[in-house]
Amino acid sequence: FVIYQDSSVIVLNKPPGLATQGGSGITSHIDGMLDSLTQGKKQRPRLVHRLDRDTSGVLVIARTVPAAAALAESLRHRDASKIYWALTKGAPEKKRGTIKLALAKRGGRGEERMTGVERDAENAKHAITDYAVLDHAGAEFAWVAAKPVTGRTHQIRVHLASLGTPIIGDYKYGALAARPKGAIEDKLHLHARSIDIAHPDGGRLRVTAPLPKHMLKTWKLLGFDPDAKSDPFARVRK
């Protein structure tokens, strides 16, 4: 659960199915557990970013108010690199690319979803995601690394679905095409693999989170390397 900590930050490997914050019908969430992570400090740890409920992986927590402000500033100025791993249905036509598709919220309460729209559409927010296909299992599945340049709600999920390659287990945006086959578990296959962000005390904070059990099982089943450490975006965008 805690994969890194020092006097200013704590980094969690959030399990899938656990919400980052509370909401309608949500009684168990990371924000409600932060009191247990004070560990002698008088200040309550603070969230500085979020992950979707069913997305696992790196979640950075600030241990002090100054650290929270510094991390928020780094995120605001995009001085952070977050890489996600996903299993998609089929492989994107191009092995490497950048998706530029504006997003807008549609639907009523409880049925809200993000939709790709024209940039000048009402309430549209520009969204950019770099991606790279790291491996594939025939034409059926692909291991895709995604690096969001902007940080919109459900951005990676909508963007990969827009290529005709939805994330396995993502029925909200992939419908029946997101259904797994064989021994692959019927869960969202999206993991916040790593983060590289300016550390509040100077230097860089670089942390990598191991895959959750269901994705580790899938990676081994398909012959993918769950311990791969290369950065496919090192020469694409810094």
Side-chain angles (χ1 to χ4, degrees):
F1 199 59
V2 175
I3 53 177
Y4 174 84
Q5 69 176 48
D6 58 32
S7 61
S8 296
V9 300
I10 297 172
V11 184
L12 307 179
N13 185 5
K14 188 187 84 65
L18 180 61
T20 304
Q21 289 182 298
S24 179
I26 297 175
T27 56
S28 180
H29 48 83
I30 295 291
D31 193 37
M33 302 175 181
L34 293 183
D35 286 326
S36 65
L37 296 176
T38 54
Q39 299 175 344
K41 284 190 177 289
K42 295 180 180 179
Q43 300 178 46
R44 186 178 189 272
R46 290 166 168 77
L47 293 168
V48 293
H49 66 114
R50 306 176 186 177
L51 291 176
D52 294 344
R53 183 173 186 168
D54 292 321
T55 301
S56 57
V58 171
L59 187 66
V60 180
I61 309 294
R63 300 190 68 185
T64 66
V65 172
L71 290 165
E73 191 72 4
S74 294
L75 290 167
R76 188 177 303 114
H77 291 286
R78 299 180 186 173
D79 186 16
S81 172
K82 292 187 280 186
I83 296 177
Y84 291 71
W85 282 3
L87 181 73
T88 61
K89 175 69 173 181
E93 186 175 342
K94 295 181 179 179
K95 289 190 174 182
R96 183 185 297 272
T98 298
I99 305 166
K100 298 180 179 179
L101 177 64
L103 303 176
K105 188 178 292 185
R106 296 287 186 263
R109 188 177 180 86
E111 296 295 329
E112 292 178 339
R113 55 182 285 129
M114 302 303 290
T115 303
V117 297
E118 296 293 330
R119 286 199 62 170
D120 57 357
E122 183 180 2
N123 299 322
K125 294 184 177 181
H126 80 283
I128 303 172
T129 304
D130 293 329
Y131 76 88
V133 178
L134 301 184
D135 205 344
H136 60 88
E140 194 71 34
F141 303 108
W143 166 15
V144 177
K147 180 181 178 181
V149 179
T150 53
R152 308 305 181 193
T153 300
H154 296 175
Q155 176 177 313
I156 295 173
R157 295 165 62 182
V158 178
H159 276 179
L160 289 179
S162 76
L163 298 181
T165 55
I167 298 173
I168 293 299
D170 188 6
Y171 296 104
K172 192 178 191 78
Y173 298 107
L176 292 180
R179 179 178 292 171
K181 289 186 176 181
I184 296 176
E185 291 190 41
D186 192 6
K187 294 181 179 179
L188 182 68
H189 281 62
L190 179 61
H191 178 68
R193 174 65 172 174
S194 64
I195 191 167
D196 179 338
I197 188 171
H199 194 289
D201 301 330
R204 306 294 297 181
L205 173 66
R206 297 183 176 93
V207 184
T208 298
L211 289 172
K213 289 182 179 179
H214 73 283
M215 288 184 67
L216 180 59
K217 176 183 175 183
T218 298
W219 257 233
K220 291 181 176 180
L221 183 70
L222 298 179
F224 299 158
D225 179 8
D227 300 314
K229 293 179 174 60
S230 61
D231 179 0
F233 306 106
R235 300 176 183 176
V236 177
R237 192 191 300 271
K238 294 184 179 179

